[in-house]
Amino acid sequence: MAANSYSELQARYEDLLRGERYDFEDRITTSLDDYFQKTRNSKTKMGWGCPRVRISMSEIRSLDPELSNRLRRDPLRHLRALEAACHAIASENRAGYDKENSKLKVALNGPIGATASSPRGLTSSSLRHLVCVEGVATKVSSIKPKVVKSIHFVPATKQHHSREYVDATDPQLGLQAIDAAGRELPDRIINITPSVYPTKDNDGNFMETEFGLSTFKDHQTITLQEMPEKAPMGQLPRSVDLVLDHDLVDRIKPGDRVRIVGVYRALATSSNGQASTSGVFKTVVLVNDIQTLGRDISHMNFSSNDISVIRSLAERKDILNILGRSFAPSIHGHSY
């Protein structure tokens, strides 16, 4: 019998992650250690971005094909349960790692289906499903902070008020709310919050925003275009917008060929999440994982022997001749 409730899904994913076949527990611990090391080396405060562990869909499919299929068809609900299971394991091995509200997230990498799709292959049948899309980044926006939770101070009453924000790109939109004990509330659905920023409380007193206590996340949008060689002859390449949050921002440059794994979603245009008057919605991909296609020189790994050879070559006086023989051996030595 398939698990339906949030607690059942979390327990099922936790049992899957605790298996010894793929060492998921070691992977979770390593991702936390890498995140802590990165924040220390970059001299930024703890809480920048978030730790993210990579899990392959083929690994989940080999352990539990039925659960993998449900994850592909209902990704947002299953991702929430999967991340909760990872958080439970991470809290056991690294207690208090989320003291700066940087909970562990999961990056699902492909293949999702038989082959990766293109922006042209994203149709209405793919909505709310987990998709894998390949293309070329043609337009990259700047990174902007998006408010997640604002804290306000009322000088007249000396009290603090808080407010959380949910927009059309929030992964939790449309899911059932969860209480402090980790149980789903069937009568409470997470909806889009009003976009009006509060300036007064219920009694009409002015409120001051405590920016240092408020919570923000990095936000970026990218336009992904169909690869020219994959577009049908005589037709223009099609494109789709990508939405990136947290640590996924600033990883794609214009012109990069990338493979994206994410959730294909239609954005509601009204504040209450209802259908627009025209019945036409803008569609985006909520990015979960990014993979750069081709060789990426920024992630090359050099061994100690490679470094010693590079340093010894740098000290030689005939380094230009050595480079000439390496780059153009067929014409090296010929006069011009």
Side-chain angles (χ1 to χ4, degrees), residues 197-211:
Y197 197 75
T199 57
K200 297 181 180 180
D201 61 4
N202 296 332
D203 298 328
N205 300 317
F206 286 96
M207 297 191 301
E208 299 177 355
T209 303
E210 298 282 0
F211 292 99

Side-chain angles (χ1 to χ4, degrees), residues 52 54 107-110 248 251 259-262 287-291:
R52 191 177 294 264
R54 296 175 63 88
L108 297 174
N109 47 15
L248 295 176
R251 290 181 53 183
R259 177 181 295 130
I260 299 298
V261 175
V287 179
N288 177 264
D289 182 57
I290 301 172
Q291 180 182 356

Side-chain angles (χ1 to χ4, degrees), residues 29-52 143 218 245-251 299:
T29 305
T30 302
S31 65
L32 293 177
D33 295 339
D34 293 342
Y35 169 73
F36 295 146
Q37 184 67 29
K38 180 180 179 180
T39 53
R40 284 195 294 266
N41 293 342
S42 61
K43 296 182 180 180
T44 57
K45 73 169 188 174
M46 187 66 64
W48 177 88
C50 62
R52 191 177 294 264
I143 302 174
D218 293 324
D245 291 323
H246 299 293
D247 59 311
L248 295 176
V249 301
D250 203 24
R251 290 181 53 183
H299 293 84

Side-chain angles (χ1 to χ4, degrees), residues 52 54-58 61 71-72 75-76 79 106-113 115-117 122 129-135 224 242-244 248 251-252 258-264 284-293:
R52 191 177 294 264
R54 296 175 63 88
I55 298 178
S56 174
M57 284 292 294
S58 59
R61 189 180 301 114
L71 171 60
R72 183 177 63 86
L76 296 178
L79 265 175
V106 175
L108 297 174
N109 47 15
I112 304 301
T115 57
S117 179
L122 295 178
H129 286 188
L130 195 67
V131 296
C132 181
V133 188
E134 292 182 353
L224 188 72
L242 310 178
V243 177
L244 294 82
L248 295 176
R251 290 181 53 183
I252 300 178
V258 293
R259 177 181 295 130
I260 299 298
V261 175
V263 181
Y264 191 48
V284 298
V285 175
L286 307 182
V287 179
N288 177 264
D289 182 57
I290 301 172
Q291 180 182 356
T292 304
L293 301 179

